[in-house]
Amino acid sequence: MSQHRALLVPDVLLVIFEQVNHSTEFRRSSRKYLAALASTCKAFHEPAMDLLWADMNGIDPLLGCVTRLHPMIYGGDKKHDFSTQHFCSQSVDPLSEHETRQFLRHAARVRSISITRDSHFHLISTLPVDICIFPRLLSLSTIRTLLPPRYLHLFLSPMLRRCVIPEIQLDLKVLVTRCAALEDLSIIFQCGPSREISPLSNSTSFCLCKQLVNLRCPPVDWATWKDLSKLPTLLTVWIHGKVLYPFGSDDFNSVPSLKITHLYFSVDSAAYIIAVMRNFEFPLLKGVKVNVDTLQRAEADLLLRALSQCSACQTLERVVIFAGESLVQERSGNLFTPIRQLFCFRQLRVLKLIFPHCCSHLDNDLLFEAMSSWPHIRSLELRDLHLRSPAVTFRGLFAALRLCPHLQKLRIFMDAAHIDIDPTTESFQHTSLHALDLESPDVRDAEAIARIIFYMLPCVHKINQVYGGSQCWEACEEVNRHLITFKSSSVIGRQIIGASSSQS
């Protein structure tokens, strides 16, 4: 039977085979189909084989191409259990020269490899140190410390674009020298009692990553931050892990500028974040995310003040700051209104503040001032577990909502016990808001709250109570029950009268 002419076009074949590769539920089934296609005819062989070997989980499938190892890899040899470390280290010799050629036969087709388990690396210990077994590899991911450092060079392809690697395995200079095309680098922090200082400290290797776009790494020192400021392509920096050495303002004698658009921190030291924000400019910054173990009031004020002074007032659209409970009980003392530091960000779309005292002294006037400062806001979440006496009322809430017509999600701590608005006399409706979480310590009239939501927030179908005890949860559920009743009555043409509805 002759083939359709379309099947002789390489691009058409590639589309068909990619569909086969992704249409099956199980990876094993798709590999079986691709193997069958590869053996169908010469025209199918190359594109099918390229897809068959494109994504690998370890090097075991390549070891299975070695005649001696095939029965052990695929379970044909019942005498030996190839998965045991004892058998691997004691009973199997490394590859010979001839077997190395068998092993490398399909290695050039591999585009992505993930090391998630012991892949018997001792078997390739005879490979030359200057060889890369995957010359066209685009993505390398090693989880935990399963890839011994002495074998790392075998995976460093000159075409490598994405690399995820534990810090303990890292020779950064070798990596960036051999992988000049690297665009996405994730260095996973390794913590332990024997660690004293990050090997990334005092590193000047990042300046070699001329095409780096995204970087995720443990906290780095001043010299490394200066290197990052020299990278023209860098857009995202994510700093995570434990700060292992001092990083104070005394280290700075200039204010370098980084043209990154997104900056993320997940560290144990707020002082480190404050130092970075205070001593660098980020004129193109669009998003900031901070996750820190604790954040005292003074630190929160310094952090937000440094953020407001980092030259991003015209660009910043997203701010997320999360911290756990304060370890030290702080006095109320001076007026603390952290959101005032963010009023300069007129382009703000998303604001999420979850840390102690973030809502201190938030009242109707301050909420109105905040909303007038953020006309483009889409999502606003202010959560403070320390707040016990909220001052924002329904009238203040709706006065603020008039200023932000694009708001879609709102989570705020407010006084839901004080009903100071009659929804039946108000003509205002906010039709963009569809997710509403009311954090309130006291709900006295669930029906009145449901009526306000029904009349003035038509796209909100229920409210959520994230924090609080069983009493708060019950009050929230009661509001939702009334809201369901009101909406059902409206659909079937009834008039809402109290908690129950009567036929009009």
Side-chain angles (χ1 to χ4, degrees):
M1 183 185 301
S2 61
Q3 295 179 353
H4 193 282
R5 285 181 298 176
L7 297 179
L8 301 178
V9 180
D11 291 342
V12 173
L13 277 183
L14 185 60
V15 171
I16 295 174
F17 291 173
E18 285 181 343
Q19 183 63 29
V20 171
N21 193 30
H22 295 97
S23 61
T24 55
E25 181 178 358
F26 300 103
R27 176 67 174 159
R28 183 178 301 178
S29 298
S30 65
R31 292 181 63 83
K32 180 177 67 175
Y33 297 148
L34 288 172
L37 287 169
S39 62
T40 300
C41 64
K42 290 183 178 180
F44 288 6
H45 180 78
E46 289 300 320
M49 290 295 285
D50 283 344
L51 285 174
L52 180 64
W53 291 97
D55 301 311
M56 302 295 298
N57 185 6
I59 62 174
D60 285 2
L62 289 171
L63 291 171
C65 295
V66 178
T67 304
R68 172 171 61 96
L69 303 179
H70 184 277
M72 294 181 289
I73 289 289
Y74 293 106
D77 190 340
K78 302 299 183 182
K79 181 179 178 181
H80 301 105
D81 181 5
F82 196 69
S83 65
T84 63
Q85 292 295 324
H86 175 74
F87 180 79
C88 289
S89 59
Q90 302 296 326
S91 304
V92 182
D93 293 329
L95 301 179
S96 65
E97 183 178 350
H98 171 68
E99 289 174 335
T100 296
R101 289 193 293 269
Q102 292 180 323
F103 171 79
L104 296 176
R105 183 171 51 171
H106 301 299
R109 301 181 188 272
V110 179
R111 297 292 184 272
S112 172
I113 189 165
S114 177
I115 309 297
T116 59
R117 53 191 170 84
D118 181 7
S119 294
H120 319 296
F121 293 107
H122 78 287
L123 295 175
I124 59 176
S125 59
T126 56
L127 293 178
V129 295
D130 58 344
I131 191 176
C132 173
I133 61 179
F134 303 107
R136 298 166 67 187
L137 190 67
L138 299 177
S139 177
L140 169 65
S141 177
T142 65
I143 308 301
R144 298 184 296 274
T145 57
L146 295 177
L147 175 59
R150 66 181 181 275
Y151 298 119
L152 176 62
H153 67 279
L154 298 174
F155 296 82
L156 298 183
S157 161
M159 296 181 61
L160 196 66
R161 299 292 191 274
R162 177 181 178 271
C163 184
V164 179
I165 186 168
E167 183 187 11
I168 197 171
Q169 297 178 346
L170 183 64
D171 185 337
L172 183 60
K173 189 172 183 179
V174 172
L175 175 65
V176 300
T177 301
R178 298 187 61 168
C179 306
L182 201 61
E183 297 176 356
D184 194 325
L185 175 60
S186 294
I187 304 170
I188 308 302
F189 180 82
Q190 298 288 315
C191 58
S194 61
R195 262 185 70 108
E196 295 181 356
I197 192 166
S198 169
L200 299 181
S201 302
N202 302 313
S203 170
T204 58
S205 299
F206 281 115
C207 61
L208 302 176
C209 302
K210 298 301 183 182
Q211 299 185 45
L212 192 63
V213 177
N214 304 307
L215 172 66
R216 177 180 179 181
C217 67
V220 295
D221 62 2
W222 163 236
T224 305
W225 275 105
K226 288 189 69 175
D227 275 352
L228 297 181
S229 68
K230 301 174 184 177
L231 299 180
T233 58
L234 189 63
L235 296 180
T236 301
V237 175
W238 183 354
I239 304 296
H240 69 105
K242 187 176 181 180
V243 178
L244 298 171
Y245 48 87
F247 188 73
S249 298
D250 293 341
D251 297 327
F252 299 89
N253 52 25
S254 63
V255 184
S257 176
L258 285 88
K259 294 180 173 59
I260 64 175
T261 58
H262 294 84
L263 182 61
Y264 305 139
F265 291 98
S266 182
V267 296
D268 63 329
S269 170
Y272 179 88
I273 307 172
I274 294 168
V276 173
M277 300 304 302
R278 177 182 290 168
N279 293 282
F280 287 89
E281 291 184 348
F282 301 90
L284 302 180
L285 195 62
K286 291 185 177 181
V288 173
K289 184 176 182 180
V290 171
N291 190 332
V292 66
D293 293 344
T294 60
L295 190 64
Q296 305 298 334
R297 284 181 50 174
E299 292 177 325
D301 188 57
L302 290 174
L303 173 61
L304 294 177
R305 185 177 302 171
L307 179 60
S308 68
Q309 297 172 353
C310 71
S311 304
C313 289
Q314 303 302 318
T315 60
L316 194 63
E317 298 179 356
R318 182 182 181 91
V319 176
V320 177
I321 301 178
F322 174 83
E325 290 280 359
S326 295
L327 297 179
V328 179
Q329 188 68 30
E330 300 184 78
R331 300 176 181 176
S332 54
N334 298 329
L335 186 66
F336 181 65
T337 54
I339 64 172
R340 285 190 181 278
Q341 304 283 4
L342 304 176
F343 286 175
C344 63
F345 300 115
R346 299 286 297 177
Q347 302 300 318
L348 204 62
R349 263 71 169 172
V350 176
L351 176 60
K352 186 174 183 179
L353 302 182
I354 306 174
F355 59 85
H357 312 294
C358 73
C359 297
S360 297
H361 304 284
L362 179 65
D363 56 15
N364 291 342
D365 293 336
L366 184 57
L367 182 63
F368 186 90
E369 187 179 358
M371 291 305 195
S372 64
S373 301
W374 308 321
H376 308 289
I377 194 78
R378 261 55 169 190
S379 177
L380 176 63
E381 297 185 56
L382 303 174
R383 281 190 276 168
D384 183 352
L385 297 180
H386 286 211
L387 192 59
R388 293 294 177 264
S389 301
V392 175
T393 66
F394 281 104
R395 180 161 295 281
L397 173 64
F398 282 99
L401 286 178
R402 285 179 167 85
L403 302 175
C404 48
H406 307 293
L407 188 67
Q408 299 173 4
K409 181 177 181 179
L410 177 65
R411 176 174 290 170
I412 192 171
F413 203 65
M414 64 176 294
D415 179 8
H418 182 203
I419 308 298
D420 59 350
I421 193 171
D422 182 0
T424 61
T425 63
E426 300 284 342
S427 60
F428 171 74
Q429 283 191 332
H430 195 290
T431 57
S432 295
L433 192 69
H434 63 263
L436 177 64
D437 299 344
L438 293 181
E439 308 289 342
S440 178
D442 189 12
V443 175
R444 299 176 185 176
D445 193 337
E447 181 183 348
I449 295 175
R451 192 186 303 275
I452 292 172
I453 296 172
F454 174 75
Y455 277 106
M456 304 184 71
L457 302 174
C459 294
V460 174
H461 301 290
K462 69 174 184 177
I463 64 170
N464 299 309
Q465 178 74 39
V466 180
Y467 293 109
S470 58
Q471 184 177 357
C472 293
W473 282 91
E474 291 172 1
C476 177
E477 289 303 310
E478 186 178 358
V479 171
N480 288 333
R481 285 194 294 269
H482 285 295
L483 190 57
I484 292 173
T485 300
F486 292 165
K487 288 183 177 292
S488 299
S489 301
S490 175
V491 169
I492 62 177
R494 295 180 178 178
Q495 182 180 2
I496 300 173
I497 303 177
S500 59
S501 302
S502 59
Q503 191 81 27
S504 59

